[in-house]
Amino acid sequence: MSIYENLIQLGAKTPLPQKPEEAVLERVPNPQADVKYCVRFTAPEFTSLCPITGAPDFASLMIDYVPGEFLVESKSLKLFLGAFRNHGAFHEDCTVAIARRIIAEIKPIWLRIGGYWYPRGGIPIDVFYQTGAPPDGVWIPEQGVQPYRGRG
């Protein structure tokens, strides 16, 4: 029995979901579940919409997690994140909602997300969330994203 046999999106033509709540976030059993390690996803071109003006908002998201029994299947994560393109929500809501959805689906040992939002109206907004202290003995690299400096 393959750990990939229950996936419905990987290897198939899958349209971009119109809303994040319609997206199927898939998981696979962690074949290295006896080891604690960090997984990083970086989405440097994340897009959502301002819920008031409908103008596009852009961010670089960095998601780090220590998996338990399950891993996030990356194509389904790409489709889930892409579903925010037509979704109106404030930066804080988008960032924390993404973290909570991943947590609900895979129940990681630990997760953190950094939402580094590009300025609109002259103000960049960075949003950070994590589930608690990282587990002992796991190397968790710094996210390494510099604070916004404009042209200076």
Side-chain angles (χ1 to χ4, degrees):
M1 180 169 148
S2 167
I3 65 172
Y4 312 111
E5 71 181 275
N6 292 323
L7 297 175
I8 60 172
Q9 298 174 114
L10 186 61
K13 184 174 179 168
T14 308
L16 188 66
Q18 293 301 303
K19 300 176 186 175
E21 55 273 10
E22 293 175 1
V24 176
L25 191 57
E26 294 189 290
R27 65 186 191 184
V28 296
N30 179 3
Q32 301 293 329
D34 61 325
V35 177
K36 287 185 182 155
Y37 60 96
C38 182
V39 176
R40 172 168 287 170
F41 287 111
T42 304
E45 298 176 347
F46 180 81
T47 307
S48 67
L49 299 175
C50 173
I52 306 301
T53 66
D57 287 317
F58 305 98
S60 180
L61 301 180
M62 193 166 297
I63 303 163
D64 295 317
Y65 75 97
V66 175
E69 187 178 343
F70 298 102
L71 301 171
V72 175
E73 193 286 306
S74 63
K75 179 180 179 181
S76 73
L77 180 65
K78 290 173 200 173
L79 291 167
F80 169 58
L81 296 178
F84 281 84
R85 287 185 193 170
N86 297 316
H87 179 72
F90 289 128
H91 304 336
E92 299 86 347
D93 185 24
C94 286
T95 306
V96 175
I98 290 165
R100 293 179 79 179
R101 177 75 185 274
I102 294 169
I103 291 164
E105 296 297 333
I106 68 163
K107 298 173 181 43
I109 294 169
W110 176 84
L111 180 139
R112 87 171 160 197
I113 186 171
Y116 301 90
W117 293 82
Y118 295 96
R120 234 173 23 86
I123 301 173
I125 299 174
D126 296 336
V127 181
F128 308 101
Y129 173 80
Q130 73 179 32
T131 58
D136 289 336
V138 178
W139 178 52
I140 310 291
E142 291 299 318
Q143 291 196 337
V145 178
Q146 297 298 314
Y148 185 77
R149 292 187 45 165
R151 294 186 178 155

